[in-house]
Amino acid sequence: MKTLVIGASENTDRYANRAARSLLQHGHTIELVGLRTGQIQGHPIQTGLPALTDIDTVTLYVGARNQAGYVDYLKQLKPRRVIFNPGAENPDLSRQLKQEGIEPIEACTLVMLSIGNY
């Protein structure tokens, strides 16, 4: 199962960075998309809307006002679920994803991993 982290950053204080490292620590395969290129533990941070396949979960670390550019991308990726981390909640996008058969979840990826329900 592959997870895409949207909002990835090399800054180790950012929650997206912590989540990426925790996902790796828990044995998950990751893809990273952010505003700037870089890397997290050897995994490249891509910019824009890279062509990706086999994405099971997308975990969002961008606020609702910055999500507009990702709406069609998320639908095209057809993940099983999209996790809206604290600060990324977006009822309108959640509704749109549900209509596409994608499960929106308002939760914290870090907490989900730490309690074993990811």
Side-chain angles (χ1 to χ4, degrees), residues 58-80:
V58 174
T59 183
L60 283 177
Y61 285 93
V62 293
R65 64 186 156 87
N66 295 317
Q67 293 170 7
Y70 294 107
V71 174
D72 291 335
Y73 184 59
L74 291 171
K75 292 176 183 178
Q76 171 198 331
L77 288 173
K78 293 224 176 284
R80 178 173 58 89

Side-chain angles (χ1 to χ4, degrees), residues 5 15-25 30 32 40-41:
V5 179
Y15 283 107
N17 183 292
R18 292 181 190 181
R21 289 183 285 128
S22 186
L23 284 160
L24 289 169
Q25 189 178 347
I30 62 170
L32 305 168
I40 298 173
Q41 293 187 345

Side-chain angles (χ1 to χ4, degrees), residues 74-114:
L74 291 171
K75 292 176 183 178
Q76 171 198 331
L77 288 173
K78 293 224 176 284
R80 178 173 58 89
R81 62 187 182 167
V82 173
I83 300 170
F84 291 82
N85 287 277
E89 301 89 345
N90 183 338
D92 183 50
L93 179 52
S94 290
R95 269 191 303 283
Q96 290 182 56
L97 293 173
K98 269 187 200 159
Q99 290 171 348
E100 298 287 323
I102 300 166
E103 180 186 11
I105 300 170
E106 284 189 13
C108 175
T109 297
L110 287 167
V111 171
M112 291 173 75
L113 287 164
S114 72

Side-chain angles (χ1 to χ4, degrees), residues 3-6 8 16 20 30-34 39-40 43-47 50 52:
T3 298
L4 170 60
V5 179
I6 294 182
I30 62 170
E31 294 284 352
L32 305 168
V33 170
Q39 56 124 357
I40 298 173
H43 295 265
I45 299 173
Q46 302 175 75
T47 58
L52 301 172

